[in-house]
Amino acid sequence: MTESATSHIKGIAILGATGSIGQSTLEVIALHPQKYKVIALSAYSNVELLLQQCLRFQPEYAVMVDKKSAQQLEKRLAEEGEYTIHVLSGAKSLNDMAALEQVDYVMAAIVGAAGLASTLKAAEKGKRILLANKESLVMSGALLMDAVDKGGAELLPIDSEHNAIFQCMPELWKNRDEQLGIEKILLTASGGPFWEYSLEQLKYVTPEQACKHPNWNMGRKISVDSATMMNKGLEVIEASWLFSMPAEHIEVVVHPQSIIHSMVSYSDGSVLAQLGNPDMRTPIAHALAWPERTRSGVDALDIFAIGKLTFQAADLQRFPCLRLAYDALRSGKTAPTILNAANEVAVAAFLQQQLAFQDIAVVIDFVLSELNLQDANTLDAVIAADKAARFLAQQKISTLH
Ligand code: NAD
Ligand code: MG
C-alpha cells in the first residue's frame, strides 16, 4: 500500500507563519501535500506575506494579532476573490488555533514571550508541538513540561541543537534510567558574528552587524541573541528542561562551521553527533515526520567540501550573557523568566539603537540582582515575574541611554 493510503493527512497550525521558521515550515509542507494540510496561519502584522501564504496554502483560518492588519487582510482576500478563509484578530485567537479539533500539529514559531499562551494551549490539548519558540520553555519550563505530560502532548524540538540531541538520545531516554549512560550534552554554538571580536571591538557593534549571522538566516531578535550568545544561554535552559539535565551536564562547544548541530556523550566513551547543512528545514522535516523520515529539500551534506570541523570552549568574559543564563538555570525558580524578559526588552532597545551592545548583559544582570525569586509553578507567578523584569529593564535602559 502507498503511504498516502495508510496514514491520514495531518492538520497543521503554523503560529508565526511569516517569520523565518514559519516560511521554512511552509516550504517543507509544500513538498508533501499528500501528508500535511495547513489549517491555520498566523502573523503579527505582515499583511502582504500572510496574504500570499493564504492564497497558496488555502488554510481554514488566518490570524493577524494586529486588528487593523486583520481588516486589511480580509479586504485583500476579498479583492482576490477569496471568501472561504476565516480571518481572525487578537492574541487570544492564537490559543483558539492551537486548540482546533482538526489541528494535529502546532508549529510554535512566534518569537518571544508572546508565544507562551498558545504553546501552553497546544500542550493542554495534547497536540504534537513543533517547538521553535524556545522562550516559552525558558520562561515557564516547569509549567510547560507539566502541561505536556498532563495533556499527553508530544514535544518535538525544532531548535537545531535540541533536535540534534533528540536524535542522538537513546530511544528510552524519558525513563531516565542510569543504565542508559548519558553523561553529558555537548551543545554546539557557532559563536555568532562577533566570535573573533575583542572586548574593545564589541563596544561599537551595530544592529545591522549583529543581524548578519555567518551561517544562519534568522529573525532579528534571535540574531541579536546569537551575537551576544544569549541564544546559547537560552538553549542551555531549553535543553535542561527538554532532556531533564542539570546545568553541569550541559557543555557549550563553539563550532564555527555549524555542521554538527550538537552531541550526546555516553559513559562508554561514545559520543553521538547529528550533522547536516545549517538549514532549519532539516529539523522541521524531522519533527513533522517523526518517527519516520521525509524529504526536507535540503542538499545532502558534502563532507569533503567541508573538510575540517573545529571546536573551542566558550569565552564567558566576552560573552557574559551565557554566564548569566547558566546562573539563572542554577538559581531556578523565576530566575530564567526574569532573564528572558530582561533580555527581550534589552534586545529590542539595542535594535532601536537605544542601548549599546554590551549593555544588554548589564541590564539583564541588574534586573536579576534586583528582583526576588519566586516559585515558578503557577502561570500567575511567571507572568508577574515577566512583568516586573520588563519594567525594571526599561528603567535601567533609560539610565544608560
Ligand atoms: P521572526 O522574527 O522571523 O518571526 C517571528 C514570527 O512571530 C512572525 O511570524 C511574526 O509575525 C510573529 N510575531 C512576532 N511578534 C508577535 C506577537 N507579539 N504576537 C504574535 N505573533 C508575533 O523569528 P524566527 O527567526 O522565525 O524565530 C521564531 C522562533 O523560533 C523564536 O523563538 C526563535 O528563537 C526560534 N528559532 C528560530 C530559528 C531560526 O533559524 N530562525 C532557529 C531556532 C529557533
Ligand atoms: Mg539553535
Side-chain angles (χ1 to χ4, degrees):
M1 250 195 281
T2 62
E3 190 177 6
S4 54
T6 53
S7 56
H8 107 109
I9 292 196
K10 299 296 182 193
I12 305 196
I14 303 176
L15 306 181
T18 53
S20 157
I21 294 286
Q23 293 180 61
S24 295
T25 305
L26 286 170
E27 282 177 40
V28 177
I29 287 176
L31 298 174
H32 308 286
Q34 75 289 9
K35 288 186 190 162
Y36 309 110
K37 158 101 184 82
V38 177
I39 305 290
L41 294 173
S42 90
Y44 189 79
S45 61
N46 188 340
V47 176
E48 267 322 299
L49 184 52
L50 197 63
L51 173 73
Q52 296 310 324
Q53 293 178 339
C54 283
L55 295 176
R56 181 161 175 215
F57 291 94
Q58 295 288 315
E60 293 175 26
Y61 298 92
V63 177
M64 302 225 74
V65 173
D66 179 58
K67 214 174 182 164
K68 278 215 175 96
S69 304
Q71 286 163 355
Q72 280 175 26
L73 179 69
E74 198 151 31
K75 190 163 155 270
R76 296 283 284 109
L77 282 168
E79 283 166 13
E80 299 286 340
E82 185 58 74
Y83 298 98
T84 58
I85 301 170
H86 303 284
V87 178
L88 307 170
S89 74
K92 287 229 159 60
S93 301
L94 299 169
N95 307 350
D96 298 339
M97 298 301 100
L100 285 171
E101 188 81 30
Q102 63 274 43
V103 165
D104 302 292
Y105 297 176
V106 175
M107 166 51 86
I110 290 171
V111 60
L116 175 62
S118 51
T119 308
L120 273 174
K121 180 59 81 178
E124 285 162 14
K125 292 288 174 181
K127 307 294 187 190
R128 172 177 294 196
I129 304 170
L130 282 58
L131 187 75
N133 178 247
K134 66 191 85 181
E135 294 92 343
S136 55
L137 202 48
V138 171
M139 69 187 288
S140 65
L143 286 178
L144 184 53
M145 296 310 284
D146 194 44
V148 166
D149 271 353
K150 287 198 178 120
E154 286 174 323
L155 189 59
L156 290 173
I158 294 298
D159 218 344
S160 55
E161 296 78 2
H162 305 74
N163 186 271
I165 296 161
F166 183 92
Q167 296 194 46
C168 296
M169 281 287 183
E171 219 167 291
L172 297 171
W173 60 269
K174 281 214 163 149
N175 299 342
R176 291 170 203 142
D177 187 333
E178 278 183 19
Q179 287 174 348
L180 295 174
I182 304 162
E183 293 267 300
K184 199 157 66 171
I185 286 175
L186 296 163
L187 190 70
T188 54
S190 68
F194 305 142
W195 176 239
E196 309 274 347
Y197 281 39
S198 66
L199 272 172
E200 189 58 25
Q201 284 174 305
L202 286 173
K203 271 188 191 155
Y204 307 105
V205 298
T206 65
E208 291 332 300
Q209 288 172 299
C211 289
K212 255 195 220 128
H213 195 277
N215 305 339
W216 299 96
N217 186 3
M218 310 180 286
R220 285 169 74 78
K221 191 258 176 184
I222 182 176
S223 295
V224 177
D225 285 346
S226 297
T228 60
M229 290 198 75
M230 179 56 96
N231 183 49
K232 212 45 55 181
L234 299 178
E235 289 185 0
V236 168
I237 301 173
E238 183 185 11
S240 171
W241 282 112
L242 283 172
F243 305 110
S244 311
M245 284 288 208
E248 51 281 13
H249 288 268
I250 305 171
E251 191 171 353
V252 172
V253 181
V254 176
H255 164 50
Q257 298 83 16
S258 297
I259 296 297
I260 293 184
H261 299 305
S262 278
M263 301 174 254
V264 178
S265 174
Y266 288 90
S267 55
D268 62 3
S270 301
V271 176
L272 301 192
Q274 185 258 2
L275 287 74
N277 287 317
D279 189 318
M280 292 307 291
R281 289 174 300 170
T282 295
I284 290 166
H286 172 268
L288 279 169
W290 184 83
E292 294 172 10
R293 297 268 175 181
T294 199
R295 276 183 308 121
S296 64
V298 175
D299 290 340
L301 183 66
D302 182 351
I303 45 174
F304 298 108
I306 293 156
K308 189 163 102 176
L309 300 177
T310 61
F311 308 97
Q312 295 165 59
D315 179 345
L316 299 186
Q317 205 205 349
R318 281 181 305 135
F319 298 98
C321 283
L322 184 54
R323 176 178 52 76
L324 290 170
Y326 264 109
D327 288 349
L329 176 58
R330 289 198 185 93
S331 303
K333 296 187 157 191
T334 45
T337 318
I338 294 167
L339 173 96
N340 178 66
N343 180 56
E344 283 191 30
V345 173
V347 169
F350 169 69
L351 283 170
Q352 289 158 25
Q353 298 185 301
Q354 286 164 5
L355 189 69
F357 182 75
Q358 286 171 318
D359 284 342
I360 295 174
V362 172
V363 169
I364 300 164
D365 198 3
F366 172 80
V367 175
L368 274 166
S369 62
E370 286 292 307
L371 290 177
N372 291 324
L373 302 184
Q374 310 290 337
D375 285 332
N377 49 11
T378 66
L379 192 55
D380 285 347
V382 167
I383 290 171
D386 177 89
K387 202 170 155 195
R390 281 170 200 273
F391 181 75
L392 206 55
Q394 208 65 63
Q395 272 195 332
K396 180 71 179 169
I397 289 164
S398 62
T399 67
L400 292 168
H401 185 40

